[in-house]
Amino acid sequence: GEGQAYKRRSFVLQCWDLQSSTCIAARELRRFGGMAINKTASDGGLIAILNPQYVRFYHLKVSQPLDDTSSVEIIGLDHRAADPDNGFMTLATFAEETHGLHFFSGASLVTKDSNGRLFIRDITRPQISTEIQNPELVQSTPLVDIIITRDFILALRLTTLEMYAFPSAGGSTNNAILEPVYVYKLPWRVDNAVMTIRRRPGVRKFNDIYVVLRFGSYYPWAINLLHHYEIRPNRFFNDGPISAVNLPYQFPPVLQETIASPVRLHATSDLAVGPYGTVLWTDSHTEDYFNHADRGQRLAGRFSTYIGDGDDDEVELSDQIATASAASVYAYQEEDSWVRVALDEAEGRIALGRDDGVISILEFI
């Protein structure tokens, strides 16, 4: 009836110590609109949580978010906590008209508003925001992945790879709108993709960037190939301001290999790439293990040792033929429950997330 309270679903956030296999922090989230984990975890916070405020329409029995009262909460670990229930601590909370969190690295947080506009915010100075905008695309064009450094932003959307230059080295300008200094148009729409900066010995201002993606198709399923690109530093960059005539990287990206990776109609697949060259993915290639092909998943991977040596020939993209296959198969199952894969290449660990909330940790031997 009118005024009756309806029970809303709650979420539980946990942090586990893998050495002892114990939960060291847990928090129940009654208002949850999304989260982003800090890719370069520091004292600035480990996780950003979007807490939307809801208004209840009792006669419709539905809730709708109120954008102008949402908040973003930055959470860290309290290593002195006596029990897991107090293991998380709130480091900062600020009001934010946000519909989603895309990326969190260091002090940079990428958010999306109700119109699909993308903003980069400094969590130490949340009043400062920088909008990134490609005027050739509609504002609601989805963001697939993004890399943010002190000098540039590399944004991967469904059909474009865009480079932006900060107006001044190492910072954002309040309410600034940045347009890309360079846009590379991809040959097909992206279905799924990941990017990372390569880690190499020594000190370099710009390192190679790995881009691994699966293109979509005109059909209701993605194509059965993974494309492994490399974006190489520009040897002629003069250390001046980044511009269309002075780019820190060479474009277009170099296609190093195409990897066979079949997926079925409506099947879920995911990707991960490490900074040292390991690529992981889940796909539907399980005929070698089961006597049927209508269900099942495998976790496979490949290590590309040659990436970045600068002497490789680019693969003919128009051929659409696999030039490589999985070098390792780490796991397979007769179900279709794996939805996410993550990789800690330095520690040699793989995390597999299932649709029922179970997370499995695998280790390289």
Side-chain angles (χ1 to χ4, degrees), residues 99-348:
H99 259 224
L101 303 178
H102 274 294
F103 178 83
F104 188 18
S105 179
S108 298
L109 182 65
V110 180
T111 64
K112 178 182 67 175
D113 70 3
S114 57
N115 295 317
R117 297 182 301 173
L118 295 174
F119 294 89
I120 299 175
R121 296 187 181 274
D122 186 336
I123 63 171
T124 63
R125 297 175 295 169
Q127 72 278 7
I128 295 180
S129 65
T130 301
E131 180 183 352
I132 59 172
Q133 180 184 110
N134 184 348
E136 297 182 358
L137 301 177
V138 296
Q139 289 183 342
S140 58
T141 301
L143 178 71
V144 181
D145 201 0
I146 190 169
I147 290 175
I148 301 176
T149 72
R150 294 180 57 86
D151 301 290
F152 67 87
I153 303 163
L154 187 66
L156 177 61
R157 301 183 193 254
L158 289 180
T159 58
T160 57
L161 185 63
E162 306 162 3
M163 175 160 285
Y164 298 80
F166 278 116
S168 60
S172 303
T173 301
N174 191 25
N175 299 323
I177 298 179
L178 298 183
E179 295 186 358
V181 296
Y182 181 84
V183 176
Y184 172 67
K185 294 185 178 180
L186 297 164
W188 300 285
R189 177 184 57 83
V190 173
D191 180 77
N192 191 11
V194 287
M195 302 190 299
T196 192
I197 297 177
R198 182 186 183 187
R199 293 180 187 171
R200 305 180 66 177
V203 178
R204 295 175 175 84
K205 185 169 185 179
F206 300 112
N207 282 329
D208 309 84
I209 296 175
Y210 299 148
V211 183
V212 182
L213 56 83
R214 185 189 298 275
F215 286 112
S217 70
Y218 295 109
Y219 302 100
W221 58 84
I223 66 172
N224 294 327
L225 291 174
L226 300 178
H227 290 73
H228 195 166
Y229 288 95
E230 176 192 359
I231 306 177
R232 297 171 178 169
N234 183 5
R235 300 176 184 176
F236 302 102
F237 180 71
N238 62 18
D239 286 331
I242 296 175
S243 66
V245 295
N246 188 38
L247 294 173
Y249 286 90
Q250 302 176 41
F251 289 93
V254 176
L255 178 61
Q256 294 287 6
E257 61 184 1
T258 51
I259 306 171
S261 174
V263 288
R264 289 186 302 273
L265 176 64
H266 303 312
T268 299
S269 64
D270 198 27
L271 300 169
V273 60
Y276 300 102
T278 300
V279 181
L280 293 179
W281 65 90
T282 56
D283 61 23
S284 306
H285 186 62
T286 57
E287 296 91 330
D288 296 341
Y289 315 105
F290 310 115
N291 294 324
H292 56 79
D294 60 327
R295 67 185 186 279
Q297 291 174 294
R298 73 166 180 173
L299 171 66
R302 182 175 179 83
F303 178 68
S304 299
T305 57
Y306 57 79
I307 295 292
D309 60 20
D311 298 325
D312 305 302
D313 294 329
E314 183 174 1
V315 177
E316 284 292 335
L317 184 62
S318 59
D319 290 346
Q320 284 297 281
I321 297 174
T323 62
S325 59
S328 301
V329 176
Y330 302 103
Y332 52 87
Q333 64 170 4
E334 205 170 357
E335 304 174 4
D336 291 321
S337 58
W338 293 335
V339 292
R340 293 297 301 272
V341 60
L343 169 66
D344 186 340
E345 195 174 16
E347 295 294 332

